[in-house]
Structure formats: C-alpha cells, structure tokens
Amino acid sequence: MKNPNRKRKIISYLVITFSALIMLTPFVAAALNSLKSYTQYTAIPVEWIPNPFKWENYIEVWRMTDFAQYGWNSLVVTVLSVLGALFSCSMVAYAFARLEFPFKNSLFVMVLGTLMIPPVVMIIPQFIIFKNMGFLDTLVPLWILEWLAQPFGVFLMRQAFLSIPKSYEEAAKLDGCSPFQTYWRIFLPMCKPQLATLTIFTFMTKWNEIMAPVIYLSSEEKFTLPIGVLSMSGAWFGKEQYLVAAALMTLIPILIVFLFTEKFFVRGASSSGLK
C-alpha cells in the first residue's frame, strides 16, 4: 500500500513543480529583460542572461517618470477602495446572513444577478452620473463605487457570517448588544480570513485598474501608476527595457500585501469555497 501512495505523491510533486515553473517563467523572463541594455533586449538570437546586469534601468525609470506622484495617487485610490469594500460589503452581508426582513432571499438573488452584467455596459451611465456630480478628472470615481457594496464581496462575507453558530448571536442579545454591536464587536473579528481575502482581491483590482482611470482622468498629475507608466511608453521608444522595469516596479506593493496576508487569504478562500 505504501508504494502506490509514494508514487502518487511523487507524481503530484512533479506536476506541481512543473506548473510552478510554467507560471514563473514569464516573470523571470521579464525580470531578466528589465536588466538588459536595448541592444541585448532586441538581440536575435535571444540573449537570456544580461551581461552586464543594468540595475540602473530602475533608477532611470524613477528619474524619467513622476513615479512617486503616480504611486501616491494609486495608493489613495486603493486604500479608500479597500476600506469601502470591507465596510460596505460586510455590513450588507451581515444583514443578508443574520437579519430578517421582507424579500431577503429575492433581494440577495438580485444582488448576485448583478455579477452577470458586463462592466462595459455601465460605463456610459456612470460617466454621465459622475459628470453631473462634478467628479470628472478627480480620483473620486475610482474608489467611491467600492463604498456601495459590490456583489462579490457581499457573497464572500455572507458565507462567512452564515458559518458562525447562532448561539453567539443569542449570547450577544442576552448581553444587551444591538444588531450593529453584534456585527461590529463579535461577528466581524471572527471573519478575519474572509476580510483578508476581500482585501487582497480589492487591492489587486484597484491597483492594476486601467479602464476607469483612462475614462475619468485627463490631468497628468492625477494619473494612477498603470496609466502613468503607459503614458510614458511613447517616450521610451528604443528603451523598451525601461517599460518592463516600470511594470515590475508596480508589482512590488501587491507582492508585499500578499506576503503579509497570504495565511489569512488561503484560509479565507478555502472556508468560502473559492478556488
């Protein structure tokens, strides 16, 4: 019985290792390309290893672009979006999971149904609304929608709240807690894995978002990091290795957030049924 199990385990490790190598190859190739000179970058046949390693490419990217301003704008948008998603989605999810009100199930089905609406369909209505509110060429349209409880976050948090035994809620009532106090003091601290999962998804989405900034922003000083870097791509003709270096620099905050929340993210994804 041991040999078949050992073979299965070895095959599993080989498959996982092979899959990991496939996924890492583009990232490693991009990292190596970012350290080449333009001659090496365009060489045929391909020169895989830079010689010498041009670490100064990253310094040139920082010098040639307003990287700090773009990064600050992205940080403002991302932090406000994450806070909005955590607060609004958890509040709405708690109501759907633990409170009783008319048409609760029908309303929840309608919320889930909005997941099937392609985002591109809502671009024009949202643009008209934000224009009438005077939000064009500001960062507000990039984060304010996250304060209106997006359906994925509501579904994720509702599953978490449903998994908590009713006895906690009854004990809170006996202690005189209001529904908001029960949500804030008891249920929310018990859902840290799902909150971490929602944080990572929202952070990655807003940090890398391109379409909304292109639509709503026109002043260069308001640009977020992705479109700030892309706007410089024309000036980097003949220096494409800088564009690769800039793209890698934009990934650093996402990697930091993921490393700090990876443990909670895995636990939250497994407990909510996400794969």
Side-chain angles (χ1 to χ4, degrees), residues 55-72 207 225 228-229 232 236 241-250 252-253:
W55 299 100
E56 60 269 27
N57 287 353
Y58 287 88
I59 299 174
E60 285 298 308
V61 169
W62 186 271
R63 188 182 63 79
M64 293 169 62
T65 64
D66 202 354
F67 213 86
Q69 183 63 51
Y70 300 154
W72 172 253
W207 187 265
L225 210 44
V229 172
M232 293 296 294
W236 288 346
Q241 71 277 18
Y242 291 163
L243 195 60
V244 181
L248 290 177
M249 288 170 69
T250 63
I252 294 174

Side-chain angles (χ1 to χ4, degrees), residues 70-82:
Y70 300 154
W72 172 253
N73 292 339
S74 286
L75 187 65
V76 170
V77 170
T78 304
V79 169
L80 290 175
S81 298
V82 169

Side-chain angles (χ1 to χ4, degrees), residues 146-187:
E146 296 298 330
W147 287 80
L148 302 178
Q150 298 302 308
F152 170 75
V154 173
F155 172 75
L156 180 71
M157 295 307 302
R158 177 179 176 270
Q159 295 302 103
F161 289 136
L162 285 175
S163 66
I164 298 175
K166 195 171 177 61
S167 56
Y168 286 91
E169 193 174 359
E170 293 170 348
K173 277 184 183 176
L174 290 175
D175 288 341
C177 289
S178 65
F180 181 79
Q181 289 172 324
T182 306
Y183 149 78
W184 185 258
R185 294 182 177 178
I186 300 174
F187 278 63

Side-chain angles (χ1 to χ4, degrees), residues 17 34 86 95 188 239:
T17 304
S34 70
L86 294 178
L188 207 54
K239 301 174 182 175

Side-chain angles (χ1 to χ4, degrees), residues 42-162:
T42 56
I44 298 176
V46 177
E47 295 182 17
W48 293 103
I49 307 299
N51 185 25
F53 286 83
K54 296 185 74 66
W55 299 100
E56 60 269 27
N57 287 353
Y58 287 88
I59 299 174
E60 285 298 308
V61 169
W62 186 271
R63 188 182 63 79
M64 293 169 62
T65 64
D66 202 354
F67 213 86
Q69 183 63 51
Y70 300 154
W72 172 253
N73 292 339
S74 286
L75 187 65
V76 170
V77 170
T78 304
V79 169
L80 290 175
S81 298
V82 169
L83 292 176
L86 294 178
F87 184 71
S88 62
C89 292
S90 62
M91 285 275 286
V92 175
Y94 179 79
F96 278 124
R98 313 304 298 202
L99 303 183
E100 294 298 331
F101 53 89
F103 310 112
K104 183 175 78 170
N105 292 331
S106 300
L107 288 172
F108 183 65
V109 171
M110 289 175 62
V111 170
L112 290 185
T114 59
L115 281 171
M116 293 184 287
I117 300 176
V120 69
V121 174
M122 296 183 285
I123 288 177
I124 293 178
Q126 287 175 356
F127 182 85
I128 294 172
I129 291 171
F130 288 136
K131 181 182 178 183
N132 291 332
M133 296 176 75
F135 288 159
L136 294 187
D137 200 25
T138 70
L139 299 179
V140 176
L142 307 186
W143 57 263
I144 197 168
L145 292 177
E146 296 298 330
W147 287 80
L148 302 178
Q150 298 302 308
F152 170 75
V154 173
F155 172 75
L156 180 71
M157 295 307 302
R158 177 179 176 270
Q159 295 302 103
F161 289 136
L162 285 175

